[in-house]
Amino acid sequence: MSKNRLLSLLASLVASFALLPGCADEGEVIDFDLPIGQSGMAMSTSGNGPRGLSVAATAGADTEVWAITRDWAEIEGEAGMAWGSGSGLNWEQKYSAWVQSMEETAIGSGSRKTFIITSPYGKSLAVPYLECAELAMAARVLFASWYGLPFYMQASSGGKALYAGHFGFRTADGRYKNSARYKVNYNDYSHLSQADIDSSWPVDNKLRGRAIYQGQDDNDFLAEGAKSGHYFDELLLNKRVGYFLLNLLPFFGSINIADPANAWDATAESVRAGDVLLKRWKKRGIGHVMLTKSVDTRASGKKTATLASGSMPRRQAVWESPAASKMLFTNQYTGGEGENYDGEKYVDLGGGLKRWPSPINDGGRWRNRVLPADMPTFLHRDRKDDIAARPGLFEDLLVTPSPEVLRDELLAVIESKRDWLRDHPSSCSARIAREDAWDVLYELMEDKFNQDKAETDLAYRELEDYVFAELRYDDSRTCCWNSTTRAMYDAAMDFNINRTNTEGECVDPLSFMMRDGEYADFSGHADTLGLPWVAWSADEGCPQEATVTTDTEEDHNWTPWCELEAMREGNEENPPAGADPYEANDRWQEAAVVAAGVHEGARITVNDRDWFRIDAPVGALVRFQIDFDHGAGDLDMEMFEGDEKVDSATGTSDQEIVDHTWDGSKPLLVKVIGYREAEGAYTITVTSEGGVDLGDPCDDNNEVMDDAFELGAGNYPGLAICTGDVDWFRIPATTGSFVARVNWAGNSGPFQVQLFRSNGEEAGTANSGNGWVEIESSAGLRFLQVRGIAGSTGEYTLAID
């Protein structure tokens, strides 16, 4: 073979290898010069941004992510995802129609909702786990890439202008640092026919295995262990876009969307789906970005608008109700009037209603601009008064629900923020949003229900609001910490339940915040409970790390905890005539215990909530029923397993029923409330089917192997080793491989757990003085023995997983 022939063959092989998925010669994560700041540029009064990169230099370049085949101003007659043929819409209007059209779906098994992303080739997936700014950017990039439309954002990095868009990551000098050569390194399968797509979806296994920078993008709803790369590979034919998003989303954020070169301020009256609503309360801190999901106009001319947003840590976007969304549109943090603690005017911080620009080829260079058709809705950044007036305009523009509906919506918002904090107890954005809702609730209740702040707090405040109190963002290191967990929430709550339930003078709850550089009270209590604790870390930009050792609580607008306790005690000392025998049970910590049977005499009064804890066998299907006179007042119910809502009943008959199969891991609770402050008496009926009733733990008759209780997988609380006691349990082979875990709750001394095979051969032993121990086992009939060492006694929980 000649030398020239050999070189030609090698060149062909190199080129073909370059097109294989994941054969990039660049770093998977770009070595950005951080921070990626604002560009320092802005739109002119005529709606034109600064001239950017050369069209000729970027078109077809090796960094290109997708080719440009259309202009945002074009009007085409072909039908698409959310528009019919001959629609007369330009591509900006089609983008809005697409965002508006995406349908809702539930988040997991809960009551919150998100939406389903649709694509031009029939793929539909629920929204992935994203931060708030990431959702807005991802929606714009997806749509632009599918239809060959230009998109780019500009920023500053290392003293240079940085551009990120359809041409990849570039500066005026060319490719930015080690960013990818997307066109040559990754595949685009957009040329495939629909028949080919339907028969065999193209897969990029390297992309599928990639996670977004800093993680927390567990899209398990898609597949177990699925990360962002897996999601993008499942949604996109052009795999280059997936790789591009993995670097754009985590490094560009709300500060870049607030950049007047990347998004422009739109009038309140022109709000449409696809717009971005941006909250910014600090110049150097993060903000909150929300995607306008839907806008509808009523016959009266008023509008309803809804918002959806991700969060930090990443989550599936929560699609808010119209009432909750109106509260956000009218919030002064969205570029409104007023100023923050540092004297900065909110209108100067870049918040408010934003719209993406529409890039054009202007004399051979890319330029972001406002479409001529949108110029009447464009607010130049110098029009400060008009920008700041928008929250007030939204107050009149958007439909106002009835006082009862608004109250219920505000309570739902508050509960949703509590729910988020239960999994992410350090979240300052959730604490702020919860208290924002409370401020609106206070005004509503006083204006429409003649109920002052203390009465409102008495009716609706929970202990957890005080434990996870609002903190000043820039003066609190807790606000930079995104890796907190449900176990840490449990430790903080258990600590405060014990703290506030002590006899004698009332003690205020201890807020979950950093003190002297640590969280000693809570981490120590977690250790006592055998719960894992995650050390503090700066999981986002954290300037306060250098100066703050003790966080600063916000000036609270609530009624102090001990004042509420005094009000509760006063109500208990002077009960109304006919008060029910289960009071005081207005809080879940004071829930009245009920077992199977019929329970008479319960009553709901004004501002009342009745909590019940159900005593039932582990594994039983538990049904809680109330019967009442609906004509006299409508009563509703919610059932919880611990702090997770598992069922609800909000019908319009004389009976409500909730049920759940209880695994014994957390208390099974029911809350009864009056709809719209309804009052009335009711009768409770509790039934249970199945389950394992272990009886009196000190008289259980399972002291030898032959009398062992048979247990399958589940959680079994309330067990005990009493004087002279040994407990035996039989775990059948049908359980499969398992881990037996025992949590010794007493402090009377050490205990031992042993596992035996059916022939009496020992299969494992664990000893402990306190907390959890565990023994793993392969499948097969096993016997578990629990006993105190040297006469130790105490309560314990057994879990078989």
Side-chain angles (χ1 to χ4, degrees), residues 337-548:
E337 298 170 348
E339 57 186 38
N340 62 20
Y341 282 100
D342 297 329
E344 298 167 329
K345 293 182 177 180
Y346 295 130
V347 72
D348 294 330
L349 302 181
L353 185 69
K354 306 285 185 178
R355 194 164 293 161
W356 293 106
S358 312
I360 59 166
N361 179 345
D362 183 11
R365 290 194 174 274
W366 289 113
R367 185 197 293 273
N368 276 328
R369 66 152 183 178
V370 180
L371 281 186
D374 282 331
M375 279 301 295
T377 69
F378 169 59
L379 294 175
H380 186 262
R381 66 172 181 162
D382 288 341
R383 295 172 60 180
K384 300 290 189 183
D385 290 345
D386 292 331
I387 292 172
R390 289 180 298 179
L393 292 174
F394 276 123
E395 185 66 55
D396 295 328
L397 178 68
L398 299 179
V399 171
T400 300
S402 69
E404 292 81 10
V405 170
L406 182 55
R407 179 200 58 203
D408 293 346
E409 288 286 355
L410 288 168
L411 291 172
V413 170
I414 290 167
E415 184 58 33
S416 73
K417 302 310 174 187
R418 289 171 179 159
D419 188 53
W420 182 253
L421 283 162
R422 288 162 192 155
D423 285 320
H424 311 282
S426 62
S427 174
C428 286
S429 60
R431 301 182 192 205
I432 291 169
R434 184 197 65 211
E435 293 308 310
D436 285 347
W438 270 104
D439 288 342
V440 179
L441 183 65
Y442 288 143
E443 293 181 15
L444 173 73
M445 297 304 290
E446 185 168 9
D447 183 40
K448 302 296 183 181
F449 296 91
N450 196 31
Q451 189 166 300
D452 64 23
K453 183 189 302 181
E455 291 170 326
T456 301
D457 282 333
L458 184 63
Y460 303 117
R461 277 288 182 188
E462 298 284 1
L463 174 64
E464 59 191 306
D465 296 345
Y466 295 85
V467 176
F468 304 99
E470 184 179 357
L471 305 177
R472 289 192 184 173
Y473 208 102
D474 285 356
D475 299 322
S476 302
R477 282 170 61 181
T478 296
C479 300
C480 312
W481 190 19
N482 298 329
S483 50
T484 50
T485 66
R486 173 65 70 109
M488 297 165 77
Y489 167 89
D490 290 340
M493 285 301 297
D494 191 75
F495 175 89
N496 274 289
I497 290 169
N498 293 334
R499 175 184 172 92
T500 57
N501 282 348
T502 55
E503 295 292 334
E505 187 176 350
C506 178
V507 178
D508 283 321
L510 188 68
S511 174
F512 184 86
M513 55 182 268
M514 178 177 280
R515 293 175 175 83
D516 297 324
E518 58 185 6
Y519 300 80
D521 291 301
F522 302 117
S523 61
H525 193 67
D527 185 59
T528 299
L529 296 174
L531 295 173
W533 186 265
V534 179
W536 182 91
S537 59
D539 299 324
E540 59 184 71
C542 194
Q544 57 266 48
E545 181 179 4
T547 58
V548 172

Side-chain angles (χ1 to χ4, degrees), residues 190-217:
S190 301
H191 62 279
L192 294 178
S193 68
Q194 190 63 50
D196 289 337
I197 295 169
D198 293 340
S199 64
S200 180
W201 181 263
V203 171
D204 180 334
N205 285 317
K206 185 168 185 180
L207 174 60
R208 191 164 282 239
R210 289 277 302 278
I212 208 164
Y213 180 69
Q214 291 189 325
Q216 297 178 324
D217 56 340

